[in-house]
Amino acid sequence: MNKKLLAVPVLIVVAVAAGVWWANEGRRDAGTELVLHGNIDIRQVELAFNASGRIDQVLVREGDRVNKGQLLARLDTTRLRLALAQAKALDDAQLSLVAKLKAGSRPEEIKQAAAERDAARAAANDARQVYQRQIDLVTKHFVSQQQADSAKNAFDAAQERLKAAEEAHHLAVLGPRKEDVTTAEANRTAQDAAVAGLSHDILEGELYAPDTGIIENRVLEPGDMASPQKTVLTLALIDPVWARVYLPERALGRIAPGVRAIITTDSHPDRKVAGWVGYVSPTAEFTPKTVETAELRTSLVYQARVFACDGQEELRQGMPVTVTIAYDQLASTTSPCSDVK
């Protein structure tokens, strides 16, 4: 009998709890909007030099707003600049050599070779005449055979010098060999590459902002040694800024990517920041512990990103926000932020 009496209050409590749950769920499903809680996410970039060296200048401080392409820091590139000057000088010298080979022999050089050829021809004729006379004198026994032999040797030498002079004149007319020109051009190409490589190394000694953002941390200072593995500055990218929220499973069919949303913060509860649902995860997960809604802690949810159209100055990394999304909207066919001033 006592057990029956105890069962009555228990049944009453269960019925009341079920009624409350049904009333809450009924109102939520029948409502016109979904209210979600989440946090602001901002992308961060760890900026480092793509070269090693000693830092010469850091041109920004924490909190500075920087624009895309802005110079942030610079390495000491004195040695590289000296090497570049030397490489450019060698490149100019190689360029002159290529131009010289392509131009061929100068007219004065050809005339000089022709004059030397003519002089050698005259000398060969003179040696031939001397040799002929010596042969006649030997026949008449006026000179010894040795003198005739010496004249013959002189004549042969003169003939060889004439051949050499003729070949030199011919080479002067032809100009440099094609292979020499090709080799000189290849050396010029290699020297150009050396100049380009040093110029690139100097450029890598300068650190630029990859996008518009705010400097969060200044890790290294002038005088520190930098390398590609060392972060110099941390940059927070302020566009885009989004709120990371979690959609309950029952809302998936009523909220589609591209629909509009409203973002509010505790610091500015009256300030409504326009936004839009940019992404809904295709994978379900259990509700994260950071979502402080007791009824959702054991439910399956889907991560979503609600992008802010403006308000980047007041929305900060990790800031708790409230996101309100009207149910059953049609996804915008234009930019969701086009009408936001």
Side-chain angles (χ1 to χ4, degrees):
M1 186 68 182
N2 291 335
K3 292 182 178 180
K4 293 181 179 180
L5 292 176
L6 291 173
V8 172
V10 172
L11 292 174
I12 294 174
V13 171
V14 171
V16 171
V20 171
W21 178 87
W22 181 88
N24 289 335
E25 292 299 316
R27 284 197 299 271
R28 184 176 286 104
D29 290 339
T32 59
E33 61 185 20
L34 176 67
V35 178
L36 300 171
H37 301 278
N39 299 85
I40 291 297
D41 266 0
I42 295 177
R43 292 176 299 156
Q44 294 177 321
V45 182
E46 305 292 331
L47 301 178
F49 288 102
N50 194 29
S52 298
R54 192 172 300 280
I55 298 177
D56 182 46
Q57 292 178 305
V58 179
L59 304 174
V60 291
R61 298 184 179 276
E62 289 92 344
D64 287 353
R65 184 188 178 102
V66 298
N67 298 317
K68 182 177 180 179
Q70 180 177 335
L71 179 62
L72 306 179
R74 182 184 289 117
L75 294 178
D76 182 2
T77 57
T78 303
R79 291 180 180 273
L80 289 175
R81 294 183 186 279
L82 292 174
L84 177 62
Q86 182 182 16
K88 285 183 176 180
L90 293 175
D91 188 43
D92 292 341
Q94 193 64 33
L95 176 61
S96 298
L97 177 59
V98 172
K100 174 184 176 181
L101 292 175
K102 286 185 175 181
S105 302
R106 291 177 294 180
E108 294 80 5
E109 293 173 337
I110 296 175
K111 289 180 180 179
Q112 181 182 8
E116 292 175 353
R117 177 202 60 191
D118 295 340
R121 181 179 293 120
N125 289 334
D126 182 65
R128 181 178 58 80
Q129 293 172 359
V130 171
Y131 173 58
Q132 290 294 335
R133 286 194 296 267
Q134 292 296 324
I135 292 176
D136 293 338
L137 292 173
V138 168
T139 304
K140 297 176 181 179
H141 302 286
F142 289 143
V143 297
S144 64
Q145 184 63 39
Q146 182 179 0
Q147 289 178 316
D149 292 341
S150 297
K152 175 67 167 61
N153 293 334
F155 174 59
D156 292 341
Q159 287 286 93
E160 295 299 325
R161 286 194 292 272
L162 175 59
K163 290 180 181 179
E166 289 175 343
E167 291 297 331
H169 176 261
H170 182 63
L171 291 175
V173 173
L174 290 177
R177 296 171 58 181
K178 293 182 179 179
E179 294 81 355
D180 293 338
V181 176
T182 301
T183 300
E185 289 179 334
N187 291 335
R188 169 78 198 293
T189 301
Q191 198 60 42
D192 284 344
V195 171
L198 288 169
S199 299
H200 179 71
D201 291 342
I202 291 174
L203 289 178
E204 287 191 337
E206 296 180 339
L207 186 61
Y208 294 90
D211 209 337
T212 301
I214 296 175
I215 300 297
E216 282 196 329
N217 296 308
R218 177 167 156 163
V219 182
L220 299 182
E221 296 292 334
D224 285 334
M225 290 300 296
S227 69
Q229 294 77 28
K230 286 185 177 181
T231 298
V232 180
L233 300 165
T234 303
L235 178 67
L237 304 181
I238 59 176
D239 187 22
V241 173
W242 67 79
R244 187 186 302 274
V245 295
Y246 295 86
L247 293 179
E249 188 173 7
R250 66 176 181 275
L252 287 180
R254 304 181 65 182
I255 293 177
V259 301
R260 301 177 187 276
I262 298 296
I263 302 172
T264 57
T265 64
D266 294 339
S267 56
H268 299 281
D270 298 330
R271 168 84 161 91
K272 294 182 179 181
V273 177
W276 57 283
V277 179
Y279 165 79
V280 177
S281 173
T283 306
E285 55 186 285
F286 286 103
T287 306
K289 293 181 180 179
T290 54
V291 179
E292 298 297 338
T293 307
E295 64 188 19
L296 295 178
R297 286 181 180 172
T298 58
S299 302
L300 287 176
V301 292
Y302 295 80
Q303 184 187 136
R305 292 180 183 178
V306 178
F307 290 88
C309 293
D310 56 3
Q312 283 82 356
E313 297 296 335
E314 59 194 64
L315 298 177
R316 301 181 181 274
Q317 173 71 28
M319 177 181 285
V321 294
T322 300
V323 176
T324 304
I325 308 172
Y327 278 127
D328 303 324
Q329 298 182 62
L330 293 177
S332 176
T333 58
T334 61
S335 173
C337 299
S338 59
D339 58 349
V340 176
K341 298 182 180 179

